[in-house]
Structures are given as C-alpha cells and as structure tokens.
Amino acid sequence: MAKVLLVTPPFTQLNAPYPAVPCLTRTLRTAGHDTVQADLGLESALRLFSRDGLLKLFASARASRVPPGSRLAWAFEMAERYLDTIEPVVRFLQGRDPTLAHRVCHARFLPEGPRFDRLQDESWAFGTLGVTDRARFLCTLYLEDLADLVTELLVPEYRFSRYGESLALAATDFAVMAKVLAQPGNFVDELAAGVMEALLDRHRPQVVGFTVPFPGTLLGALRAAQVVRRWDPRTRVVLGGGFVNTELRDLRAPALFDIVDFVTLDDGEEPMIAMLEHLEGARGAGALCRTFVRDGSSVRFIAGDRPPDLSGVPRGFPSFDGLPLDGYLSVLELLNPTHRLWSDGRWNRMPLAHGCYWKRCAFCDVTLPHVADFRPGRARDIVDRMEHIVAETGQSGFHFVDEAAPPALLRAMALEILERGLVVSWWGNVRFEEAFTPDLCRLLAASGCIAVSGGLEIASDRLLKRMRKGVTVAQVARAAAAFTGASIMVHAYLMYGFPSQTEQEIVDSLERVRQLFDEGLIQSGFWHRFYATAHAPVGRCPAEFGITITGPERGDFAWNDLEYVDAAGCDADAYGPALDTALYHFMHGQGLDRDVRSWFDRRVPRPNVPKSEVRRAVAGLRTMSSGAPGSCRLVWLGGRADIAPAPASSRTGKEILQVAAAGGVRTFRLPGPQARWLKACLDRSRPRGRGGKPYPTVEEVAERHPGGPAAFASFIARQTWRAVREDGLLLVPSSR
C-alpha cells in the first residue's frame, strides 16, 4: 500500500491549519490508506523566524546590497538584537511563554523598524488593550518588519501569508510559471526546500499531494513538487485544491506534468482514492476520477464514470493529528476585535455543509460544484465532530468555513450544543437575511457564537438586486442589529466596482456603511474590488450585466479573472484608496461624524442617502417581542424554576415563582395555577435533559394556560412575560 503525504504549501495564515488537508487526511485514513499530513507553510515560516533563519536572512540581505538611503538599513544595525529576541518572540506568539508580554510592553525589548510607525495611528487602542494583546500586536509588527526585509531586498513575491500571488494570477500560459521554476530557487524557495526534504526523509512517502487553496500558494506548491522530483522521481505528485478547481478547469499544459503526475478537480476524496487504487493495481488509468494526466504531448481529462464508493466514509471532517498544533502563531495584524479573528487564535477550521444554499450571487462562481452542490450536514453529526476535535486538539474554538451557513442548520446545531452542555466558541460566514431574528441570534450566542461575517457587498438596493444577492440594505441592517443585540460581532464584506455602479452609488454606499458603524451594527469590514470571473454569471453572461469581455487571451493554464469594459460604470479604481481609508477609521471608531465626501481626494457628489436611513430600518426591530407566533417553539436558556410557598399571612392565593437566569434569581408573585403553568413552560423548554423530546410550541403552551388561549394572549402583554423573555425565554422557528 502506498504511503501518502498531504501538504499545505507556503503560505497561508499562521494561526491555524487550513482545513483542506486535515479533511482529506481523515477521509483517506478511514478508507484504509496510510496517510500523514504536514503544513509546509507553517514549518517554513518557523524556520525563517528562528535564529538560524535570521542569520541566513541577514547574510543574504547584506549580499544583495541595500540601496543607499533605504528605510531597511536599520535592520542591519539591529541584527544582533533580532537574533537575541526572535526565538522568545515566537515562543510567546505560540502561547508558550506568556510572561514575556510584560517585558515586550514595558521595556525597549523589541527592535523597532518601520512597521512600528503604526503605533502613532493605533495609540487609541492601547488604553483598552490588555498586556498580552498589546504585546502580541508589537510582536506582529516585529515579524512584519522582518518579512518586509525579505520582500524588499530578496524575494519581491513574498508576503507574510502568501507567496507568488501575482505570478499565479498572471499565468494564463504555464510558460509564465515554467520560466520562474526553471530559475534557481531564491531565499524563500531554499528555506522551504530544506523543510520539504526533511519531511520526505521523515515520512518516505510514495505519493505526495499538495492542496493549492489560493493563488498565493501555487508557486510554493510547485517549488515543493520540484523537491519531490529531485528526492525520488518515482514518487507520484498530485495537485488539487481551490485554486486548481477554479483556475485550471481547462488545463492544457503538458509541461506542468514534468513536475506533477496528477491534477484533480473539485472534492478531492474520490479522485485521490481512485488514483491510489490505480497505483495499487485495483483500477486502470482510464478509471481515474476528475483527474488530468499527461497523454503523450497533450493533456487528457478523465471524468470517471465509476467513482469510488465512499458511503460510510466521513467527508469534511478534519483530523489535525500529526500537525504541530503547538507551533502555530497567534498574530494581531489588526487591532479591531472582529477583524483580528482571521489571524489570532488557534481555531479548528471545518465546514458545516458542502456548497452554498443560496448559490445565486452574480459575482460568485456559482456554476462550480464546490458552490453549486449544496449538501448540508446533520446537526448531531456536526456536534459529534466538534466533541471529537476538542478531545483531539484540546482547543474549543471553531471557525466554520462555509460559503454561507444555513440559518436552519445553525439553529439545529445550537440546540444540539446546548442540549449536550458543550462549551465551545465559534464563528463563520452567513447571509444577512431576516431568518436571523433577535431570538435566533440569542440562541446562537448561547451556543458559543462570538462573530459572523457576511456580504453587504455594494450597499445599494439597485445593485444588490442586479447582483441577485436576495437582500436589501434594510434587511442587512436588521440582521446585523439582531446579531449585535445578542453581543455577536459582525464583519461585513463590502464591494465596489460592480458593473454599472456610478460615482453617486459609491458615495452612497460609503454613507450607508458609515451609518452602520455609527449605529454599532457592524464592527469590521473589508472592501473588495469587483472582478469578473469566468465561472460567475457576470463572466458567463456579460451582456446581461452591460459589460464586454476584452481578455485575457485564453491560454493553456489558469483561466478565471477576466478583463472587461463597463461602459455604464465609473472608474471604480480611482475610489478604492478613499474607501479603504474611511473604513480603516470607521473600524477604529474614528471619523464617524465626518461628511463622507471628505475621504475622497476629488470632488464627489453629496450622498443621496437620508442621514437616518439605517436607524429607521432597524427602528421596528425589538430584541424582545411582545408577540408570540403560534408555530414558534420555546427555548429557555435559564435554569430551573421553583415554586416557593407563599407566606402564611398571604391570603391572595398567589404563589412565588423563583426563576434562575444568567443575571441571578428573579422572583414573580403569580396566581397559583399561573405560577405552576409558567414553571412547567420553562422546565419543558430547557435544552438539557430533553431525551429527544420536541420543544413546546407557542400554540401548545397557550392551550395549557389556565385561562386558555385568550388568557394567554393577555398574559404575554404583561411585564412578567417580558421579564422572562429578557431573561432568556426564546421563540425560535419550529424545527424540533
């Protein structure tokens, strides 16, 4: 049986494993294949950010001759200090030496390069940051200074969490990559090659698979594949992952197969297992599955009409066994509490579902299987997996990496978590739709949800409709208000430059974003420049969106990003810097009272948006509704309710109901039958100890009221009902 090594190439974020390789690792192991995994990106970064790595860096940088007057000259003056501090800093960012935070914060412990100029802009936060967070931010600046040294003096394609991204995006012909790969390896290549060789010597694999999730990992993967070829030409090399699935669907570059043997499309489980069965003689080459191979001087795609039977084999269930989990670095690239989640914390990344349940957005690759093929998981299975992963990793934080998590699945998962008493923290992507009511968001928060991210996109109802987003700005505002009302942080994906967007609409979008921040409905955001892509509705039907595709000329390699002319729209690129600057300040609570026109370096029109548009949109949304739709089910987040005997002197016929809630014990004096009815309602609505029983519906509870449904309708307008609702009695859509 062939031994398989699955590799995440340089570079992705350094705080947690990217989930593709861990998910495929568990599938292959469960199917009986000897599989190990490695994070080449992390291990390469750790080799760079070590004393030996910096010795090589400074030696190579000196040899490159620093340009006169370079802002990087400071690095050589401080080289000895960097060598003394690099390993303590890395240990601190790995969580192994937390007491170092005091020295980092309260002494001139770290050499301060150009990145530390940011401290003047970030000084607002230092009064609220704790010692550990402040030290983590300073250590991040320290590492970014060293990364800049690599970029500016040695390897222009290197960035802190990506490598060669611009090369991959420009490679419509493989000749572009082949020219780079034919050159001797640079400083980063040699560093990663040393790590890759050590992995090969340690594991002695017969098959090596590389995931290429992003353009910024392609060059690292291909360089590592070259190392495998040199190490043992008989070792088979497989390429797959998100970039491949999107960009290489029309692969026609035989020269690529000098470096790799197989290129797989879409979900990797069937192609990998079919390929392993082929190598073991259990199926012929013609029975491969969704795989490109070289056929003489051309490339052949084998779709496969007999995929492996994976019934009973888990998919989308990561195993982190074998990865150096204590080696990941929690860095603070931004101080914003929501934005920092992407790089800070050792999150267990996993999907809840396959694909997207909406799959209509005109800018998204909705025609590709990883989006179009929606298969939701079951809440019970998801929480089983979470419990398993917590036991495996010792970490209880989860980042769900779905395109958009379905509200119904999140509701069921939250109830399952609460019923088991599982303590976790989690966050992920959602669509800002009105299914996210205040009560549902409170339920999600109780189950551990700390943040969500979702697309506001263009912040224009005309363009949201045009891009088939399925929401309005007002709906987004109400959903965001529901989340923030439940103390869940909100990050908004923002977009500019969608076809036909005018200058006026750009200004109006920024004004609406300002209002959302000013009302406290979102805490973080990021502006994305719209790009037409080959597999999105805009790219497939450009005339429908008023654009003309002008290039690039189709080659034999990557094909996704399209060049186009938008006759009806404005020059969106001219507005990007202003949008970014304004958003940066909004995220830090600054400039919210400024006229949004002041952010632009040109004369722009006055916003055509009422100053209170967002406030009015959420005015009717109350966290605690006095109504009670009959089909909703009751979920009580508090503790048990008890009836205490009334004082002997009381002749009112009332009893004392004591209700345990998060804020303490609340006491109600109610008529005896009503007190016992409310106690029964709360006890029957608790998640713990249900044994699979359904939660009571409002209609059922109303029928059981001592005075019947009419008396119940009167009761829910009273202060007692409102108080219990505030304490945690939720009305959630009926599902269980």
Side-chain angles (χ1 to χ4, degrees):
M1 176 179 291
K3 185 174 185 178
V4 181
L5 169 62
L6 298 179
V7 179
T8 302
F11 287 97
T12 58
Q13 288 165 325
L14 300 178
N15 63 310
Y18 187 77
V21 160
C23 286
L24 186 54
T25 295
R26 185 179 298 277
T27 298
L28 295 185
R29 287 175 177 171
T30 306
H33 297 280
D34 184 7
T35 306
V36 293
Q37 59 181 324
D39 191 334
L40 180 59
L42 172 70
E43 295 194 37
S44 298
L46 293 179
R47 182 163 293 193
L48 168 61
F49 297 126
S50 67
R51 183 178 178 86
D52 288 343
L54 292 195
L55 283 170
K56 294 175 182 176
L57 170 59
F58 286 122
S60 299
R62 285 193 178 94
S64 71
R65 297 183 180 180
V66 180
S70 169
R71 69 187 186 96
L72 298 175
W74 57 269
F76 300 102
E77 299 169 4
M78 300 297 294
E80 183 175 292
R81 190 62 184 156
Y82 275 110
L83 294 173
D84 290 343
T85 55
I86 185 62
E87 291 181 354
V89 163
V90 168
R91 285 198 304 271
F92 168 71
L93 292 175
Q94 291 171 331
R96 299 183 183 187
D97 190 4
T99 58
L100 187 71
H102 297 278
R103 192 162 182 201
V104 170
C105 289
H106 302 303
R108 286 281 181 153
F109 177 70
L110 299 177
E112 298 183 2
R115 289 276 183 164
F116 282 73
D117 293 345
R118 282 182 60 189
L119 293 180
Q120 296 179 359
D121 296 331
E122 308 285 2
S123 59
W124 63 272
F126 274 43
T128 57
L129 280 179
V131 170
T132 300
D133 279 351
R134 179 172 180 170
R136 190 177 292 125
F137 179 61
L138 295 174
C139 290
T140 302
L141 297 178
Y142 164 99
L143 292 185
E144 289 177 333
D145 272 326
L146 291 171
D148 290 345
L149 190 66
V150 177
T151 301
E152 298 191 30
L153 294 183
L154 298 175
V155 187
E157 299 84 13
Y158 170 74
R159 298 292 184 275
F160 197 56
S161 58
R162 59 190 186 276
Y163 176 44
E165 182 177 62
S166 60
L167 288 172
L169 291 172
T172 54
D173 282 301
F174 184 67
V176 174
M177 299 301 300
K179 182 178 179 180
V180 174
L181 294 168
Q183 298 170 1
N186 56 41
F187 174 79
V188 171
D189 296 330
E190 291 176 358
L191 184 142
V195 177
M196 189 68 213
E197 288 169 358
L199 289 171
L200 294 169
D201 289 340
R202 185 189 318 157
H203 297 295
R204 315 299 297 182
Q206 287 77 52
V207 176
V208 179
F210 294 96
T211 183
V212 184
F214 312 115
T217 57
L218 176 65
L219 180 57
L222 294 179
R223 281 295 195 188
Q226 288 181 311
V227 175
V228 178
R229 279 284 192 259
R230 292 194 298 269
W231 181 76
D232 186 347
R234 297 169 298 177
T235 301
R236 302 303 181 95
V237 179
V238 189
L239 208 64
F243 176 84
V244 175
N245 299 339
T246 303
E247 305 270 350
L248 304 188
R249 301 194 75 84
D250 192 29
L251 180 63
R252 291 175 287 112
L256 172 63
F257 293 87
D258 293 337
I259 305 171
V260 306
D261 299 285
F262 305 96
V263 177
T264 68
L265 288 186
D266 304 324
D267 296 349
E269 297 92 347
E270 289 99 340
M272 278 296 294
I273 291 176
M275 182 268 298
L276 292 172
E277 291 175 353
H278 162 62
L279 295 179
E280 294 163 4
R283 64 168 65 209
L288 293 173
C289 178
R290 298 196 302 275
T291 300
F292 289 102
V293 296
R294 177 154 57 184
D295 187 0
S297 59
S298 62
V299 175
R300 179 162 63 107
F301 180 68
I302 304 171
D305 57 3
R306 189 171 58 88
D309 180 11
L310 296 186
S311 56
V313 177
R315 306 174 72 166
F317 179 11
S319 171
F320 301 103
D321 176 54
L323 293 175
L325 297 182
D326 58 354
Y328 287 89
L329 308 175
S330 283
V331 296
L332 269 184
E333 297 177 288
L334 280 178
L335 295 178
N336 179 277
T338 311
H339 212 287
R340 65 186 281 182
L341 293 175
W342 274 269
S343 62
D344 180 28
R346 232 294 291 135
W347 302 101
N348 299 308
R349 292 174 173 147
M350 63 177 282
L352 296 173
H354 182 283
C356 177
Y357 70 97
W358 178 250
K359 54 188 175 187
R360 301 177 201 173
C361 297
F363 55 83
C364 183
D365 295 329
V366 297
T367 61
L368 298 184
H370 74 270
V371 177
D373 183 11
F374 176 62
R375 301 192 305 269
R378 293 196 314 163
R380 182 174 300 174
D381 295 339
I382 289 167
V383 181
D384 283 346
R385 294 177 176 189
M386 294 172 72
E387 288 185 321
H388 184 98
I389 290 170
V390 170
E392 179 183 81
T393 66
Q395 301 288 331
S396 61
F398 289 84
H399 177 193
F400 297 123
V401 295
D402 303 73
E403 300 282 339
L409 180 56
L410 290 180
R411 179 180 66 238
M413 181 190 75
L415 290 172
E416 189 73 27
I417 289 172
L418 293 170
E419 288 166 13
R420 299 190 193 192
L422 181 62
V423 178
V424 293
S425 302
W426 60 268
W427 61 290
N429 294 330
V430 299
R431 292 185 70 249
F432 291 126
E433 57 183 87
E434 293 194 291
F436 289 109
T437 63
D439 277 16
L440 176 55
C441 292
R442 293 179 74 202
L443 177 70
L444 301 183
S447 75
C449 180
I450 59 169
V452 295
S453 53
L456 170 57
E457 316 304 356
I458 220 74
S460 158
D461 283 351
R462 181 186 79 85
L463 292 169
L464 286 171
K465 182 177 180 180
R466 187 172 175 81
M467 65 172 54
R468 305 169 188 169
K469 187 69 183 177
V471 297
T472 64
V473 174
Q475 287 172 329
V476 171
R478 286 192 287 271
F483 282 114
T484 56
S487 300
I488 295 172
M489 297 183 292
V490 177
H491 173 90
Y493 298 116
L494 305 166
M495 183 185 293
Y496 66 99
F498 191 78
S500 80
Q501 186 180 27
T502 65
E503 180 182 66
Q504 180 70 63
E505 287 173 321
I506 285 180
V507 175
D508 291 351
S509 288
L510 183 58
E511 170 60 18
R512 293 186 178 100
V513 169
R514 184 198 67 79
Q515 291 185 26
L516 286 164
F517 274 99
D518 198 31
E519 294 295 324
L521 303 184
I522 60 176
Q523 291 74 48
S524 176
F526 188 84
W527 287 105
H528 298 261
R529 173 65 164 93
F530 167 79
Y531 290 101
T533 57
H535 309 295
V538 172
R540 293 173 70 89
C541 305
E544 183 178 338
F545 296 89
I547 65 172
T548 302
I549 303 300
T550 59
E553 185 177 343
R554 200 158 188 162
D556 62 9
F557 195 58
W559 177 256
N560 192 38
D561 287 359
L562 304 175
E563 300 163 2
Y564 65 94
V565 173
D566 176 14
C570 61
D571 177 14
D573 291 332
Y575 303 92
L579 296 175
D580 289 340
T581 301
L583 183 63
Y584 177 84
H585 284 82
F586 294 167
M587 286 196 297
H588 297 103
Q590 301 171 339
L592 292 170
D593 56 350
R594 286 175 54 174
D595 187 318
V596 294
R597 291 176 291 177
S598 66
W599 298 107
F600 296 92
D601 61 0
R602 64 187 64 207
R603 189 178 182 85
V604 297
R606 182 189 303 273
N608 189 23
V609 178
K611 290 288 186 181
S612 59
E613 179 178 301
V614 168
R615 185 175 301 170
R616 289 204 314 267
V618 301
L621 186 75
R622 289 186 293 169
T623 304
M624 301 305 147
S625 170
S626 59
S631 62
C632 285
R633 293 189 182 272
L634 276 64
V635 179
W636 169 236
L637 300 179
R640 293 197 176 276
D642 293 303
I643 295 178
S649 59
S650 174
R651 299 181 180 180
T652 62
K654 292 186 176 182
E655 295 181 350
I656 298 174
L657 178 66
Q658 294 179 328
V659 177
V665 177
R666 193 190 286 266
T667 300
F668 301 99
R669 295 178 66 89
L670 299 170
Q674 198 171 91
R676 291 188 291 276
W677 165 82
L678 184 53
K679 169 181 163 49
C681 286
L682 299 180
D683 288 346
R684 292 176 61 230
S685 302
R686 295 185 68 227
R688 296 303 294 274
R690 300 204 61 77
K693 296 178 182 178
Y695 290 84
T697 66
V698 172
E699 186 176 18
E700 292 168 348
V701 167
E703 290 289 345
R704 289 190 173 95
H705 189 278
F712 173 77
S714 176
F715 177 77
I716 64 175
R718 295 178 184 171
Q719 178 58 32
T720 300
W721 177 259
R722 289 195 293 270
V724 175
R725 293 275 281 121
E726 289 171 2
D727 285 343
L729 180 61
L730 308 182
L731 307 181
V732 299
S734 180
S735 64
R736 344 177 21 172

